[in-house]
Amino acid sequence: MTSSSKIAVRELPLFPLPEVVLFPTRPLPLHIFEFRYRIMMNTILDSDRRFGVLMIDPAKGTIANVGCCAEVIHYQRLPDDRMKLLALGQQRFRVLEYIREKPYRVGLVEWIEDQPPSQDLRPLASEVEQLLRDVVRLSAKLTEQDIELPQDLPDLPTELSYWVASNLYGVAPEQQALLEIQDTVARLEREAEILTSTRNHLAARSVLKDTFNDIE
């Protein structure tokens, strides 16, 4: 079967993680030590190396219904059958039903993708990238640290939207909402809102800092 004719529905081993939201194309380093997940990883390494990552909301104690498939691209076995591995986000999925719970969860999932864009995404992606650069510049100024964006920031608007979403820290529910959006325009627009708010907040703090420095 070719990669272009993906199975629409399949069984997938599931790995729920507290406040972790994985996005397509993004890396996920993991330290596997729980017995059930050691079993899972040993099983998938003999298969197609794929498993699903779902966010656990610690406040609600619930597991998200939409997640991202991960593929193990590198692993290292440690003593006591523990494992360190690096996985890479692939396509997103929705859990249709749980097939079994033990020794680890396995779900019947369907793949989900963004709708085909109805407009040129590049102007919006450029706006988001500029906002991102403003936030990084202001953060560097406030913390007096050398903070820079990576050289390999994604060029494609959809991949950029995943990169931005994956680098929002401490806001797992917001990340989950971005993961579930099936429209690149809507995701980029929401990220523009978040980054604009962050930039304005940092700019105000920067003005205060400059004012106090002038006084001193």
Side-chain angles (χ1 to χ4, degrees):
M1 180 172 285
T2 62
S3 59
S4 60
S5 55
K6 293 173 184 167
I7 302 169
V9 176
R10 67 162 279 181
E11 290 184 17
L12 193 66
L14 299 172
F15 196 160
L17 287 164
E19 296 189 292
V20 172
V21 182
L22 178 65
F23 288 85
T25 73
R26 306 310 307 151
L28 177 69
L30 289 172
H31 178 200
I32 307 298
F33 55 88
E34 271 192 68
F35 181 64
R36 56 183 165 167
Y37 295 123
R38 297 195 323 243
I39 295 173
M40 175 199 281
M41 292 306 165
N42 283 318
T43 302
I44 68 164
L45 286 172
D46 288 335
S47 178
D48 65 359
R49 295 189 170 206
R50 292 187 166 213
F51 62 98
V53 176
L54 293 167
M55 193 265 284
I56 301 174
D57 187 332
K60 299 177 183 175
T62 54
I63 299 176
N65 200 44
V66 171
C68 184
C69 179
E71 182 176 0
V72 178
I73 55 173
H74 177 76
Y75 68 95
Q76 175 190 2
R77 294 193 182 276
L78 302 171
D80 308 324
D81 202 31
R82 290 176 296 117
M83 194 182 298
K84 280 188 176 178
L85 62 84
L86 179 64
L88 197 64
Q90 305 290 335
Q91 62 266 60
R92 292 169 297 157
F93 64 85
R94 180 180 291 105
V95 178
L96 299 175
E97 63 175 301
Y98 284 103
I99 295 168
R100 69 166 194 260
E101 302 272 338
K102 294 181 178 180
Y104 51 82
R105 287 179 172 84
V106 176
L108 190 67
V109 308
E110 63 175 353
W111 304 124
I112 58 174
E113 295 180 357
D114 279 3
Q115 300 160 4
S118 58
Q119 65 188 73
D120 185 356
L121 300 174
R122 286 171 298 182
L124 182 54
S126 295
E127 179 191 342
V128 167
E129 183 176 336
Q130 186 54 55
L131 285 164
L132 189 62
R133 293 188 185 283
D134 291 346
V135 166
V136 168
R137 177 178 52 79
L138 287 164
S139 296
K141 181 180 177 183
L142 279 167
T143 58
E144 297 179 353
Q145 292 179 332
D146 188 17
I147 308 171
E148 290 184 3
L149 285 172
Q151 297 289 328
D152 58 349
L153 200 65
D155 293 326
L156 299 173
T158 301
E159 287 192 9
L160 178 67
S161 76
Y162 292 145
W163 191 95
V164 172
S166 70
N167 283 279
L168 297 174
Y169 292 109
V171 287
E174 182 71 70
Q175 287 181 304
Q176 182 64 34
L178 290 166
L179 183 75
E180 294 181 13
I181 292 174
Q182 287 181 250
D183 182 339
T184 308
V185 170
R187 190 180 306 108
L188 285 167
E189 285 177 342
R190 178 63 189 132
E191 289 167 352
E193 289 176 9
I194 294 167
L195 290 169
T196 298
S197 174
T198 305
R199 181 194 61 185
N200 294 346
H201 175 70
L202 291 172
R205 284 179 56 194
S206 181
V207 168
L208 282 173
K209 183 178 181 182
D210 289 344
T211 304
F212 282 116
N213 286 342
D214 290 343
I215 293 170
E216 290 171 4

